[in-house]
Amino acid sequence: MDDFLAARSQMALSLGFHIIYSCIGMVMPFFMAVAHYRWLRTGNATYRNVTKAWSKGVAIFFATGAVSGTMLSFELGLLWPRFMEHAGPIFGMPFSLEGTAFFIEAIALGFFLYGWDRFHPWFHWFTGVVVGVSGLASGILVVAANAWMNSPAGFDYVNGQYLNIDPIQAMFNDAWASQALHMTVAAFAATGFAVAGVHAIMLLKRQNVTFHQRAFAIAAAFGAVAAVLQPLSGDVSAKDVARRQPAKLAAMEAHFRTEKAAALVLGGLPDEKAGQVNYAVKIPGLLSFLAHGNFAQEVTGLDRIRPEDRPPVLVPHLAFQLMVGLGMLMLGIALLYFWARWRRRAWLHSRWLLRLFAAATPAGFLAVEAGWTVTEVGRQPWIINGVMRTADAVTPMPGVVYSFYLFTAVYLSLSVVVVFLLYRQIKMVPVLYDVPPQVSLA
């Protein structure tokens, strides 16, 4: 492995772990706030215990997210010094604002964790809401920085110089709104299905049934709503990519030749040398419609992109197919869940529905990882789209491969610790009620 591949692999590894920690950290406080609100409104002690249990999970992911995010900040400067030299003054504003949001989140989380029976109940609840809002703002601001890399704005690039810098325009670039929307909805869907899946597993084991039923209902509702909204945000994002980054869209869809009434490719293995997709199902005209809202519209293929500017096709295409497939799976489960709540209430306690949620526990985060793979690999060979190549931004320092091995060990160790802490937390959930005889999970 050469240093360039090692540097890219290290960033991919770091982002791959951090995105899971950050998604949970920015979404779980809202679950916590809903459970807390229900306790304050109903006085039901089960909701109080759910809130306390979830707050400990929030604290775990806040800590791990802070560690992994700090490591990413250092990696940007150490692995990509030329990128930071030129890009830092342009897109530094969202990072500085993210630091402020993180600071507010830390204070609010401290108030919430140590404020039980010390603050007014509604003020205590409010501090939990602040944790969620500031965490969500933090995530959106980081996405704004990444969106700038896909749609650079706020400067003039003249003779290799970055002039007339406008940080506000850079932050609110053309890709910001669609990426922020898509990522936010994805975070809610992934976290909702993951948390609901864990509680579904515990219900299948008939452990602390009342506690896990209440928790499952809240998490499943969030996840199901987000799963229904996600295809809509994906459509917005896809149309935006078609307009700004036609090379990325062509790689995602393995669309090799420019044509009108372009077909949507389902599955398949791209053959980049032959310029075709094998073993795929093609739906005529649908790609044109999804990209431009017109079944006859021309869609740019990779044949219109200079060979040296083309992204790889295999990885973005497979990742995109995985993301869409998992999204459709979660959408199907969400629609079943809503139908059960509306017409078939008995299904909510059925073992088959719980098994579906249990099986879908990792689906959302696999989709998130696949989506970020599409975003980052589909932008190659650019680190700043159309302005700076990734190969020109990497550090000249030798021995990056050893740093990659070290960081791999650190992240794997951190993940083991997180899994252990979460497992212990789940096992320590207090037994609120024994399983009553009339509760059926058949």
mmCIF file of all heavy atoms in Angstrom, residues 393-433:
data_model
loop_
_atom_site.group_PDB
_atom_site.id
_atom_site.type_symbol
_atom_site.label_atom_id
_atom_site.label_comp_id
_atom_site.label_asym_id
_atom_site.label_seq_id
_atom_site.Cartn_x
_atom_site.Cartn_y
_atom_site.Cartn_z
ATOM 1 N N ALA A 393 -3.139 17.002 -2.985
ATOM 2 C CA ALA A 393 -3.365 17.539 -1.642
ATOM 3 C C ALA A 393 -2.733 16.700 -0.544
ATOM 4 O O ALA A 393 -2.621 17.152 0.597
ATOM 5 C CB ALA A 393 -4.873 17.650 -1.375
ATOM 6 N N VAL A 394 -2.302 15.482 -0.878
ATOM 7 C CA VAL A 394 -1.818 14.560 0.153
ATOM 8 C C VAL A 394 -0.463 15.015 0.694
ATOM 9 O O VAL A 394 0.321 15.690 0.009
ATOM 10 C CB VAL A 394 -1.721 13.128 -0.414
ATOM 11 C CG1 VAL A 394 -0.564 13.007 -1.404
ATOM 12 C CG2 VAL A 394 -1.600 12.104 0.701
ATOM 13 N N THR A 395 -0.185 14.648 1.923
ATOM 14 C CA THR A 395 1.074 15.026 2.560
ATOM 15 C C THR A 395 2.272 14.355 1.875
ATOM 16 O O THR A 395 2.169 13.198 1.440
ATOM 17 C CB THR A 395 1.058 14.628 4.054
ATOM 18 O OG1 THR A 395 2.304 14.958 4.638
ATOM 19 C CG2 THR A 395 0.803 13.137 4.234
ATOM 20 N N PRO A 396 3.405 15.049 1.789
ATOM 21 C CA PRO A 396 4.616 14.409 1.261
ATOM 22 C C PRO A 396 5.348 13.575 2.318
ATOM 23 O O PRO A 396 6.328 12.904 2.005
ATOM 24 C CB PRO A 396 5.474 15.603 0.823
ATOM 25 C CG PRO A 396 5.067 16.708 1.750
ATOM 26 C CD PRO A 396 3.589 16.496 2.002
ATOM 27 N N MET A 397 4.855 13.605 3.541
ATOM 28 C CA MET A 397 5.509 12.868 4.629
ATOM 29 C C MET A 397 5.449 11.367 4.366
ATOM 30 O O MET A 397 4.377 10.816 4.083
ATOM 31 C CB MET A 397 4.820 13.183 5.954
ATOM 32 C CG MET A 397 5.405 12.470 7.163
ATOM 33 S SD MET A 397 4.462 12.793 8.683
ATOM 34 C CE MET A 397 2.910 11.961 8.312
ATOM 35 N N PRO A 398 6.576 10.663 4.471
ATOM 36 C CA PRO A 398 6.573 9.215 4.261
ATOM 37 C C PRO A 398 6.032 8.471 5.481
ATOM 38 O O PRO A 398 5.886 9.039 6.564
ATOM 39 C CB PRO A 398 8.051 8.902 4.024
ATOM 40 C CG PRO A 398 8.779 9.944 4.818
ATOM 41 C CD PRO A 398 7.934 11.194 4.715
ATOM 42 N N GLY A 399 5.738 7.215 5.295
ATOM 43 C CA GLY A 399 5.325 6.369 6.414
ATOM 44 C C GLY A 399 3.881 6.508 6.820
ATOM 45 O O GLY A 399 3.522 6.115 7.939
ATOM 46 N N VAL A 400 3.030 7.040 5.930
ATOM 47 C CA VAL A 400 1.614 7.202 6.276
ATOM 48 C C VAL A 400 0.958 5.846 6.528
ATOM 49 O O VAL A 400 0.018 5.731 7.320
ATOM 50 C CB VAL A 400 0.880 7.965 5.157
ATOM 51 C CG1 VAL A 400 -0.617 8.068 5.451
ATOM 52 C CG2 VAL A 400 1.468 9.354 4.986
ATOM 53 N N VAL A 401 1.470 4.814 5.877
ATOM 54 C CA VAL A 401 0.871 3.487 6.026
ATOM 55 C C VAL A 401 0.906 3.025 7.482
ATOM 56 O O VAL A 401 -0.023 2.364 7.960
ATOM 57 C CB VAL A 401 1.576 2.475 5.100
ATOM 58 C CG1 VAL A 401 3.039 2.266 5.510
ATOM 59 C CG2 VAL A 401 0.832 1.151 5.089
ATOM 60 N N TYR A 402 1.967 3.390 8.223
ATOM 61 C CA TYR A 402 2.050 3.000 9.630
ATOM 62 C C TYR A 402 1.007 3.749 10.468
ATOM 63 O O TYR A 402 0.450 3.210 11.428
ATOM 64 C CB TYR A 402 3.465 3.253 10.153
ATOM 65 C CG TYR A 402 4.513 2.482 9.399
ATOM 66 C CD1 TYR A 402 5.400 3.131 8.541
ATOM 67 C CD2 TYR A 402 4.598 1.099 9.513
ATOM 68 C CE1 TYR A 402 6.357 2.418 7.823
ATOM 69 C CE2 TYR A 402 5.552 0.377 8.803
ATOM 70 C CZ TYR A 402 6.428 1.033 7.960
ATOM 71 O OH TYR A 402 7.355 0.330 7.249
ATOM 72 N N SER A 403 0.756 4.996 10.087
ATOM 73 C CA SER A 403 -0.303 5.757 10.753
ATOM 74 C C SER A 403 -1.657 5.098 10.510
ATOM 75 O O SER A 403 -2.495 5.020 11.421
ATOM 76 C CB SER A 403 -0.312 7.196 10.236
ATOM 77 O OG SER A 403 -1.411 7.919 10.736
ATOM 78 N N PHE A 404 -1.849 4.604 9.293
ATOM 79 C CA PHE A 404 -3.105 3.915 8.972
ATOM 80 C C PHE A 404 -3.283 2.677 9.840
ATOM 81 O O PHE A 404 -4.366 2.443 10.396
ATOM 82 C CB PHE A 404 -3.117 3.537 7.492
ATOM 83 C CG PHE A 404 -4.216 2.587 7.112
ATOM 84 C CD1 PHE A 404 -5.548 2.944 7.229
ATOM 85 C CD2 PHE A 404 -3.909 1.304 6.653
ATOM 86 C CE1 PHE A 404 -6.561 2.061 6.887
ATOM 87 C CE2 PHE A 404 -4.918 0.421 6.317
ATOM 88 C CZ PHE A 404 -6.246 0.791 6.430
ATOM 89 N N TYR A 405 -2.237 1.903 10.004
ATOM 90 C CA TYR A 405 -2.329 0.708 10.843
ATOM 91 C C TYR A 405 -2.626 1.082 12.303
ATOM 92 O O TYR A 405 -3.428 0.428 12.973
ATOM 93 C CB TYR A 405 -1.025 -0.090 10.772
ATOM 94 C CG TYR A 405 -0.726 -0.678 9.415
ATOM 95 C CD1 TYR A 405 0.584 -0.802 8.953
ATOM 96 C CD2 TYR A 405 -1.755 -1.109 8.577
ATOM 97 C CE1 TYR A 405 0.869 -1.337 7.700
ATOM 98 C CE2 TYR A 405 -1.490 -1.638 7.323
ATOM 99 C CZ TYR A 405 -0.175 -1.755 6.884
ATOM 100 O OH TYR A 405 0.084 -2.278 5.656
ATOM 101 N N LEU A 406 -1.976 2.143 12.778
ATOM 102 C CA LEU A 406 -2.181 2.578 14.159
ATOM 103 C C LEU A 406 -3.620 3.030 14.371
ATOM 104 O O LEU A 406 -4.273 2.640 15.358
ATOM 105 C CB LEU A 406 -1.207 3.708 14.502
ATOM 106 C CG LEU A 406 -1.378 4.358 15.883
ATOM 107 C CD1 LEU A 406 -1.152 3.332 16.985
ATOM 108 C CD2 LEU A 406 -0.435 5.547 16.037
ATOM 109 N N PHE A 407 -4.137 3.852 13.461
ATOM 110 C CA PHE A 407 -5.495 4.367 13.616
ATOM 111 C C PHE A 407 -6.514 3.249 13.474
ATOM 112 O O PHE A 407 -7.571 3.277 14.126
ATOM 113 C CB PHE A 407 -5.762 5.475 12.591
ATOM 114 C CG PHE A 407 -5.341 6.829 13.056
ATOM 115 C CD1 PHE A 407 -4.006 7.158 13.168
ATOM 116 C CD2 PHE A 407 -6.278 7.789 13.405
ATOM 117 C CE1 PHE A 407 -3.611 8.409 13.611
ATOM 118 C CE2 PHE A 407 -5.904 9.035 13.847
ATOM 119 C CZ PHE A 407 -4.564 9.356 13.959
ATOM 120 N N THR A 408 -6.225 2.261 12.633
ATOM 121 C CA THR A 408 -7.127 1.115 12.523
ATOM 122 C C THR A 408 -7.245 0.403 13.860
ATOM 123 O O THR A 408 -8.346 0.065 14.312
ATOM 124 C CB THR A 408 -6.611 0.135 11.458
ATOM 125 O OG1 THR A 408 -6.550 0.795 10.187
ATOM 126 C CG2 THR A 408 -7.546 -1.075 11.346
ATOM 127 N N ALA A 409 -6.104 0.196 14.523
ATOM 128 C CA ALA A 409 -6.109 -0.450 15.833
ATOM 129 C C ALA A 409 -6.862 0.389 16.858
ATOM 130 O O ALA A 409 -7.627 -0.145 17.686
ATOM 131 C CB ALA A 409 -4.676 -0.693 16.290
ATOM 132 N N VAL A 410 -6.671 1.708 16.811
ATOM 133 C CA VAL A 410 -7.346 2.591 17.769
ATOM 134 C C VAL A 410 -8.862 2.533 17.592
ATOM 135 O O VAL A 410 -9.618 2.386 18.565
ATOM 136 C CB VAL A 410 -6.839 4.040 17.613
ATOM 137 C CG1 VAL A 410 -7.726 4.996 18.414
ATOM 138 C CG2 VAL A 410 -5.392 4.160 18.069
ATOM 139 N N TYR A 411 -9.325 2.622 16.340
ATOM 140 C CA TYR A 411 -10.761 2.629 16.099
ATOM 141 C C TYR A 411 -11.397 1.281 16.418
ATOM 142 O O TYR A 411 -12.514 1.217 16.945
ATOM 143 C CB TYR A 411 -11.065 3.037 14.659
ATOM 144 C CG TYR A 411 -11.102 4.532 14.467
ATOM 145 C CD1 TYR A 411 -10.099 5.195 13.756
ATOM 146 C CD2 TYR A 411 -12.132 5.294 15.002
ATOM 147 C CE1 TYR A 411 -10.136 6.570 13.590
ATOM 148 C CE2 TYR A 411 -12.184 6.662 14.845
ATOM 149 C CZ TYR A 411 -11.173 7.302 14.133
ATOM 150 O OH TYR A 411 -11.208 8.658 13.976
ATOM 151 N N LEU A 412 -10.713 0.201 16.105
ATOM 152 C CA LEU A 412 -11.247 -1.113 16.445
ATOM 153 C C LEU A 412 -11.348 -1.274 17.958
ATOM 154 O O LEU A 412 -12.345 -1.797 18.478
ATOM 155 C CB LEU A 412 -10.366 -2.208 15.844
ATOM 156 C CG LEU A 412 -10.434 -2.365 14.321
ATOM 157 C CD1 LEU A 412 -9.438 -3.424 13.845
ATOM 158 C CD2 LEU A 412 -11.840 -2.721 13.862
ATOM 159 N N SER A 413 -10.319 -0.796 18.663
ATOM 160 C CA SER A 413 -10.342 -0.870 20.131
ATOM 161 C C SER A 413 -11.473 -0.017 20.696
ATOM 162 O O SER A 413 -12.198 -0.435 21.619
ATOM 163 C CB SER A 413 -9.003 -0.408 20.707
ATOM 164 O OG SER A 413 -7.936 -1.212 20.230
ATOM 165 N N LEU A 414 -11.636 1.187 20.144
ATOM 166 C CA LEU A 414 -12.698 2.078 20.601
ATOM 167 C C LEU A 414 -14.067 1.443 20.369
ATOM 168 O O LEU A 414 -14.955 1.531 21.229
ATOM 169 C CB LEU A 414 -12.605 3.418 19.865
ATOM 170 C CG LEU A 414 -13.598 4.512 20.272
ATOM 171 C CD1 LEU A 414 -13.413 4.900 21.727
ATOM 172 C CD2 LEU A 414 -13.427 5.739 19.364
ATOM 173 N N SER A 415 -14.228 0.775 19.240
ATOM 174 C CA SER A 415 -15.500 0.136 18.929
ATOM 175 C C SER A 415 -15.796 -1.007 19.891
ATOM 176 O O SER A 415 -16.942 -1.197 20.310
ATOM 177 C CB SER A 415 -15.494 -0.380 17.486
ATOM 178 O OG SER A 415 -15.355 0.691 16.589
ATOM 179 N N VAL A 416 -14.768 -1.774 20.232
ATOM 180 C CA VAL A 416 -14.951 -2.856 21.197
ATOM 181 C C VAL A 416 -15.406 -2.294 22.541
ATOM 182 O O VAL A 416 -16.321 -2.839 23.181
ATOM 183 C CB VAL A 416 -13.643 -3.663 21.365
ATOM 184 C CG1 VAL A 416 -13.754 -4.623 22.545
ATOM 185 C CG2 VAL A 416 -13.326 -4.437 20.089
ATOM 186 N N VAL A 417 -14.794 -1.195 22.958
ATOM 187 C CA VAL A 417 -15.170 -0.567 24.225
ATOM 188 C C VAL A 417 -16.621 -0.081 24.178
ATOM 189 O O VAL A 417 -17.397 -0.280 25.127
ATOM 190 C CB VAL A 417 -14.219 0.600 24.554
ATOM 191 C CG1 VAL A 417 -14.733 1.394 25.752
ATOM 192 C CG2 VAL A 417 -12.815 0.079 24.830
ATOM 193 N N VAL A 418 -17.005 0.546 23.049
ATOM 194 C CA VAL A 418 -18.370 1.053 22.914
ATOM 195 C C VAL A 418 -19.373 -0.089 22.970
ATOM 196 O O VAL A 418 -20.397 -0.009 23.664
ATOM 197 C CB VAL A 418 -18.522 1.846 21.594
ATOM 198 C CG1 VAL A 418 -19.999 2.155 21.322
ATOM 199 C CG2 VAL A 418 -17.734 3.138 21.666
ATOM 200 N N VAL A 419 -19.103 -1.168 22.222
ATOM 201 C CA VAL A 419 -20.017 -2.314 22.227
ATOM 202 C C VAL A 419 -20.135 -2.902 23.632
ATOM 203 O O VAL A 419 -21.243 -3.236 24.088
ATOM 204 C CB VAL A 419 -19.531 -3.386 21.228
ATOM 205 C CG1 VAL A 419 -20.339 -4.676 21.395
ATOM 206 C CG2 VAL A 419 -19.650 -2.873 19.802
ATOM 207 N N PHE A 420 -19.013 -3.004 24.331
ATOM 208 C CA PHE A 420 -19.046 -3.540 25.695
ATOM 209 C C PHE A 420 -19.888 -2.651 26.610
ATOM 210 O O PHE A 420 -20.716 -3.144 27.390
ATOM 211 C CB PHE A 420 -17.620 -3.653 26.244
ATOM 212 C CG PHE A 420 -17.564 -3.947 27.720
ATOM 213 C CD1 PHE A 420 -17.856 -5.214 28.210
ATOM 214 C CD2 PHE A 420 -17.230 -2.946 28.632
ATOM 215 C CE1 PHE A 420 -17.827 -5.486 29.574
ATOM 216 C CE2 PHE A 420 -17.190 -3.206 29.995
ATOM 217 C CZ PHE A 420 -17.494 -4.483 30.467
ATOM 218 N N LEU A 421 -19.680 -1.330 26.524
ATOM 219 C CA LEU A 421 -20.432 -0.413 27.383
ATOM 220 C C LEU A 421 -21.922 -0.465 27.084
ATOM 221 O O LEU A 421 -22.763 -0.449 27.998
ATOM 222 C CB LEU A 421 -19.905 1.012 27.204
ATOM 223 C CG LEU A 421 -18.497 1.289 27.749
ATOM 224 C CD1 LEU A 421 -18.053 2.695 27.372
ATOM 225 C CD2 LEU A 421 -18.466 1.121 29.273
ATOM 226 N N LEU A 422 -22.269 -0.538 25.793
ATOM 227 C CA LEU A 422 -23.684 -0.605 25.437
ATOM 228 C C LEU A 422 -24.304 -1.927 25.876
ATOM 229 O O LEU A 422 -25.441 -1.961 26.368
ATOM 230 C CB LEU A 422 -23.842 -0.421 23.923
ATOM 231 C CG LEU A 422 -23.528 0.966 23.378
ATOM 232 C CD1 LEU A 422 -23.641 0.972 21.859
ATOM 233 C CD2 LEU A 422 -24.473 2.006 23.966
ATOM 234 N N TYR A 423 -23.560 -3.017 25.698
ATOM 235 C CA TYR A 423 -24.071 -4.327 26.123
ATOM 236 C C TYR A 423 -24.319 -4.331 27.631
ATOM 237 O O TYR A 423 -25.361 -4.795 28.102
ATOM 238 C CB TYR A 423 -23.067 -5.409 25.746
ATOM 239 C CG TYR A 423 -23.449 -6.793 26.233
ATOM 240 C CD1 TYR A 423 -24.428 -7.535 25.560
ATOM 241 C CD2 TYR A 423 -22.840 -7.356 27.358
ATOM 242 C CE1 TYR A 423 -24.786 -8.794 26.005
ATOM 243 C CE2 TYR A 423 -23.201 -8.618 27.807
ATOM 244 C CZ TYR A 423 -24.170 -9.332 27.126
ATOM 245 O OH TYR A 423 -24.528 -10.583 27.563
ATOM 246 N N ARG A 424 -23.362 -3.789 28.380
ATOM 247 C CA ARG A 424 -23.527 -3.737 29.829
ATOM 248 C C ARG A 424 -24.704 -2.850 30.208
ATOM 249 O O ARG A 424 -25.464 -3.170 31.137
ATOM 250 C CB ARG A 424 -22.243 -3.217 30.479
ATOM 251 C CG ARG A 424 -22.251 -3.346 31.996
ATOM 252 C CD ARG A 424 -20.963 -2.858 32.617
ATOM 253 N NE ARG A 424 -20.813 -1.416 32.497
ATOM 254 C CZ ARG A 424 -19.865 -0.705 33.121
ATOM 255 N NH1 ARG A 424 -18.976 -1.337 33.876
ATOM 256 N NH2 ARG A 424 -19.789 0.599 32.972
ATOM 257 N N GLN A 425 -24.880 -1.746 29.471
ATOM 258 C CA GLN A 425 -25.982 -0.840 29.766
ATOM 259 C C GLN A 425 -27.328 -1.519 29.535
ATOM 260 O O GLN A 425 -28.269 -1.380 30.328
ATOM 261 C CB GLN A 425 -25.867 0.416 28.897
ATOM 262 C CG GLN A 425 -26.989 1.427 29.069
ATOM 263 C CD GLN A 425 -27.076 1.951 30.492
ATOM 264 O OE1 GLN A 425 -26.071 2.072 31.181
ATOM 265 N NE2 GLN A 425 -28.274 2.245 30.944
ATOM 266 N N ILE A 426 -27.420 -2.286 28.439
ATOM 267 C CA ILE A 426 -28.668 -2.990 28.137
ATOM 268 C C ILE A 426 -28.956 -4.051 29.199
ATOM 269 O O ILE A 426 -30.097 -4.215 29.650
ATOM 270 C CB ILE A 426 -28.588 -3.627 26.735
ATOM 271 C CG1 ILE A 426 -28.565 -2.523 25.660
ATOM 272 C CG2 ILE A 426 -29.779 -4.552 26.500
ATOM 273 C CD1 ILE A 426 -28.260 -3.040 24.268
ATOM 274 N N LYS A 427 -27.920 -4.758 29.613
ATOM 275 C CA LYS A 427 -28.112 -5.799 30.623
ATOM 276 C C LYS A 427 -28.485 -5.210 31.986
ATOM 277 O O LYS A 427 -29.095 -5.885 32.811
ATOM 278 C CB LYS A 427 -26.829 -6.631 30.768
ATOM 279 C CG LYS A 427 -26.432 -7.394 29.520
ATOM 280 C CD LYS A 427 -27.455 -8.456 29.135
ATOM 281 C CE LYS A 427 -27.426 -9.638 30.063
ATOM 282 N NZ LYS A 427 -28.332 -10.711 29.637
ATOM 283 N N MET A 428 -28.112 -3.955 32.212
ATOM 284 C CA MET A 428 -28.381 -3.334 33.517
ATOM 285 C C MET A 428 -29.726 -2.620 33.572
ATOM 286 O O MET A 428 -30.064 -2.002 34.571
ATOM 287 C CB MET A 428 -27.269 -2.336 33.854
ATOM 288 C CG MET A 428 -25.929 -2.995 34.187
ATOM 289 S SD MET A 428 -24.617 -1.782 34.454
ATOM 290 C CE MET A 428 -25.255 -0.898 35.884
ATOM 291 N N VAL A 429 -30.501 -2.706 32.473
ATOM 292 C CA VAL A 429 -31.825 -2.077 32.485
ATOM 293 C C VAL A 429 -32.636 -2.647 33.639
ATOM 294 O O VAL A 429 -32.764 -3.867 33.785
ATOM 295 C CB VAL A 429 -32.550 -2.325 31.150
ATOM 296 C CG1 VAL A 429 -34.010 -1.919 31.255
ATOM 297 C CG2 VAL A 429 -31.881 -1.532 30.029
ATOM 298 N N PRO A 430 -33.170 -1.800 34.478
ATOM 299 C CA PRO A 430 -33.899 -2.308 35.660
ATOM 300 C C PRO A 430 -35.166 -3.063 35.267
ATOM 301 O O PRO A 430 -35.818 -2.740 34.285
ATOM 302 C CB PRO A 430 -34.253 -1.027 36.429
ATOM 303 C CG PRO A 430 -34.265 0.040 35.388
ATOM 304 C CD PRO A 430 -33.194 -0.333 34.405
ATOM 305 N N VAL A 431 -35.483 -4.077 36.030
ATOM 306 C CA VAL A 431 -36.717 -4.836 35.813
ATOM 307 C C VAL A 431 -37.863 -4.036 36.425
ATOM 308 O O VAL A 431 -38.012 -3.989 37.646
ATOM 309 C CB VAL A 431 -36.634 -6.233 36.457
ATOM 310 C CG1 VAL A 431 -37.935 -7.003 36.228
ATOM 311 C CG2 VAL A 431 -35.449 -7.002 35.909
ATOM 312 N N LEU A 432 -38.628 -3.390 35.554
ATOM 313 C CA LEU A 432 -39.722 -2.548 36.051
ATOM 314 C C LEU A 432 -40.957 -3.381 36.367
ATOM 315 O O LEU A 432 -41.631 -3.180 37.361
ATOM 316 C CB LEU A 432 -40.061 -1.475 35.023
ATOM 317 C CG LEU A 432 -38.890 -0.547 34.641
ATOM 318 C CD1 LEU A 432 -39.350 0.446 33.603
ATOM 319 C CD2 LEU A 432 -38.375 0.184 35.865
ATOM 320 N N TYR A 433 -41.267 -4.280 35.450
ATOM 321 C CA TYR A 433 -42.444 -5.128 35.639
ATOM 322 C C TYR A 433 -42.100 -6.545 35.163
ATOM 323 O O TYR A 433 -41.352 -6.715 34.219
ATOM 324 C CB TYR A 433 -43.643 -4.642 34.793
ATOM 325 C CG TYR A 433 -44.011 -3.208 35.025
ATOM 326 C CD1 TYR A 433 -43.592 -2.214 34.160
ATOM 327 C CD2 TYR A 433 -44.788 -2.846 36.121
ATOM 328 C CE1 TYR A 433 -43.928 -0.889 34.372
ATOM 329 C CE2 TYR A 433 -45.141 -1.519 36.339
ATOM 330 C CZ TYR A 433 -44.695 -0.554 35.459
ATOM 331 O OH TYR A 433 -45.043 0.743 35.674
#
